[in-house]
Amino acid sequence: MSRPRTEAEYLARLVPPSVAGVGRRSLLAGTAGAGALLGTGLLAGCGSDSGSGSESKSVSVGSNQSDPKPKDVIAKVMAGFQTSSGIQPAVNTVDHNTFQENINNYLQGKPDDVFMWFAGYRMRFFAAKGLASDVSDVWGKLSGYSDAFKKASTGDDGKQYFVPASYYPWAVFYRKSVWQQRGYQVPKTLDDLNALGAQMKKDGLNPIAFADKDGWPAMGTFDILNLRINGYQFHVDLMAGKEAWTSDKVKKVFDTWAGLLPLHQPDALGRTWQEAAQSLQQKKSGMYLLGLFVAQQFSNDEQSDLDFFTFPEIDSTIGAKALDAPIDGYMMARKPKSEANAKKLLEYVGSKDAANITVKNDPSTLVANTGADTSGYTALQKKAAELVGSATEIAQFLDRDTRPDFASTVIIPALQQFIKDPKDVAGLLTSIENQKKSIFTS
């Protein structure tokens, strides 16, 4: 799915009611589109609390894939499931934003047997609330998934609640022709990155394209620095409110970032991610930390000139294997009307057969199952799949790994304040910690 274009669109995707923990009217006061967010319409789930449908030949699916292309792909995957199982899937497609806005009410009502959602904290949140079912037995029948994918599908109790379908990694992208012309080499350490950035400046380039007008892109920079400096477990615990933002570990992240800011494209708060990507495409910037969707800003003829590397190592004891790679997939409702059929569907959507259908019908998609036939992938897609497959840990991106209200009302303005004035890190972190305590205890 493409990233949002505006902060209003970002917030529309980000904050489901009842999960937020703060009044939505105060949260979104003055934000464009707030009226739509405050609507009371609920998702029309097809599920039932009745167990009388155990012999049914149907299963209901709540889908957030409302855009034409992914909707068509889902239809083909479901047709494949029906052919192989004889079970009729009834897909309830809802606008992506509406789905997210109403997910909590939807799951507490009568949701579909299976529903589409995200890995990471948002999955664990609903699992811990008892609003999703344990699907560990389904995982016992799956193959083609790395341990990192399984970890991203596991709840706080050690059980699996999620089956991955697709993903897109974050990495540092660059144009091969520019690097070949200048003789640049992929940096292996932070010192290498600083030296490369200094050379790019001498060569008249913005070393690192950068944008944060819409609030979320800078989250990727924070994530990767925290993963490299403090490791995956600390990052996940910090996002879950279990670690203090005032700790020396977090301060080191911001101090390191402050040292890198001179290499970043200036005036980032007035620039969209598309504009930053265009500076890379136009050979005005040397590299760009972003998701694989950066390729949208390159023409078909330029795709082969786009390459990437994972953000370099900072601490040799931690390494550079962890990364952000948001994963989309499926979960099962707490009381599906047909649990047996729901689990058969989950087993199918997690299979290489379902992944092959996705690859065949949407070659720009990265599928989670490594057993899929990915011969239709571009060189960039193949490399991206290999990167995630070799990752030791996969984070889901800051706004998926923490509470929605914390990400939107605290982290966005805090990171933008830091980018504007990186001098008062201690005061900034104290403010974040105080607001975190209020939100996570509400």
Side-chain angles (χ1 to χ4, degrees):
M1 180 183 176
S2 63
R3 275 287 177 176
R5 292 166 293 180
T6 65
E7 184 174 355
E9 183 180 346
Y10 170 80
L11 289 171
R13 295 185 185 186
L14 186 65
V15 188
S18 303
V19 178
V22 295
R24 289 179 59 77
R25 293 186 186 277
S26 60
L27 170 66
L28 295 170
T31 302
L37 284 174
L38 295 168
T40 57
L42 305 180
L43 304 184
C46 301
S48 169
D49 288 338
S50 171
S52 61
S54 59
E55 298 180 2
S56 169
K57 283 295 183 180
S58 66
V59 60
S60 61
V61 184
S63 173
N64 60 2
Q65 299 298 311
S66 55
D67 292 339
K69 186 62 177 180
K71 184 177 181 180
D72 178 65
V73 173
I74 294 301
K76 287 181 169 63
V77 170
M78 294 302 157
F81 170 67
Q82 183 174 354
T83 298
S84 67
S85 67
I87 298 171
Q88 172 74 49
V91 181
N92 172 34
T93 303
V94 177
D95 170 74
H96 197 277
N97 292 349
T98 303
F99 197 98
Q100 288 191 217
E101 291 162 24
N102 293 289
I103 185 67
N104 197 50
N105 293 324
Y106 167 70
L107 293 180
Q108 292 186 73
K110 294 184 177 181
D112 297 285
D113 299 329
V114 173
F115 61 97
M116 297 180 187
W117 198 236
F118 316 119
Y121 183 91
R122 292 192 180 187
M123 172 273 297
R124 298 195 304 272
F125 181 91
F126 292 121
K129 294 293 184 182
L131 296 176
S133 292
D134 173 13
V135 295
S136 300
D137 54 346
V138 173
W139 267 89
K141 301 176 182 179
L142 297 179
S143 61
Y145 290 96
S146 67
D147 289 342
F149 272 114
K150 187 173 184 179
K151 185 181 293 186
S153 304
T154 301
D156 294 332
D157 58 3
K159 300 175 182 178
Q160 286 72 55
Y161 291 88
F162 181 85
V163 174
S166 61
Y167 65 95
Y168 56 93
W170 276 61
V172 184
F173 291 84
Y174 64 94
R175 294 201 66 152
K176 289 187 285 188
S177 59
V178 172
W179 282 45
Q180 290 167 357
Q181 177 187 355
R182 303 285 189 176
Y184 300 149
Q185 299 295 317
V186 171
K188 302 298 184 183
T189 66
L190 185 62
D191 286 343
D192 291 344
L193 181 64
N194 276 305
L196 175 61
Q199 184 59 51
M200 287 181 172
K201 270 194 167 184
K202 291 180 181 178
D203 294 338
L205 296 172
N206 292 306
I208 302 174
F210 193 46
D212 201 51
K213 183 177 182 179
D214 301 324
W216 55 264
M219 292 178 177
T221 302
F222 174 83
D223 280 0
I224 200 62
L225 290 175
N226 198 26
L227 288 167
R228 293 290 180 268
I229 293 169
N230 298 313
Y232 174 80
Q233 194 57 53
F234 180 86
H235 178 71
V236 170
D237 289 344
L238 182 69
M239 295 300 98
K242 298 177 182 178
E243 295 283 354
W245 283 80
T246 49
S247 71
D248 289 341
K249 289 185 175 182
V250 180
K251 186 176 184 299
K252 186 175 181 180
V253 172
F254 281 90
D255 287 344
T256 303
W257 192 355
L260 289 171
L261 277 178
L263 301 179
H264 285 64
Q265 195 174 7
D267 304 318
L269 301 186
R271 184 181 301 110
T272 66
W273 76 262
Q274 292 97 331
E275 291 168 337
Q278 288 159 17
S279 76
L280 185 71
Q281 182 268 333
Q282 295 164 5
K283 303 183 179 182
K284 296 177 180 179
S285 293
M287 46 190 162
Y288 191 13
L289 173 67
L290 203 72
L292 188 60
F293 52 88
V294 68
Q296 296 172 8
Q297 298 301 310
F298 288 72
S299 69
N300 291 337
D301 293 340
E302 295 171 321
Q303 294 293 321
S304 61
D305 195 37
L306 191 60
D307 203 348
F308 68 83
F309 59 90
T310 189
F311 195 90
E313 177 183 287
I314 294 178
D315 184 333
S316 61
T317 65
I318 292 174
K321 285 289 189 178
L323 71 154
D324 269 332
I327 303 168
D328 296 331
Y330 298 79
M331 298 177 71
M332 186 171 73
R334 57 179 175 176
K335 292 182 179 180
K337 66 179 184 294
S338 178
E339 182 174 327
N341 291 352
K343 288 185 174 180
K344 287 179 182 178
L345 175 62
L346 289 172
E347 186 179 348
Y348 181 81
V349 296
S351 71
K352 67 178 182 180
D353 290 340
N356 285 338
I357 292 173
T358 300
V359 173
K360 182 179 180 181
N361 291 281
D362 187 359
S364 66
T365 298
L366 295 181
V367 292
N369 193 306
T370 59
D373 178 6
T374 56
S375 59
Y377 276 2
T378 65
L380 192 70
Q381 290 170 309
K382 288 178 180 178
K383 184 175 179 178
E386 291 169 0
L387 172 65
V388 178
S390 66
T392 53
E393 296 95 9
I394 299 174
Q396 293 305 299
F397 202 75
L398 194 154
D399 62 12
R400 295 189 182 190
D401 276 332
T402 193
R403 285 180 58 134
D405 50 343
F406 182 60
S408 61
T409 64
V410 179
I411 297 301
I412 287 178
L415 295 187
Q416 291 189 328
Q417 179 183 334
F418 168 77
I419 292 166
K420 186 176 181 179
D421 181 9
K423 295 177 182 178
D424 185 17
V425 171
L428 182 70
L429 296 184
T430 297
S431 176
I432 294 175
E433 178 65 15
N434 290 338
Q435 293 179 80
K436 180 208 78 175
K437 290 178 179 177
S438 175
I439 289 175
F440 276 81
T441 58
S442 62

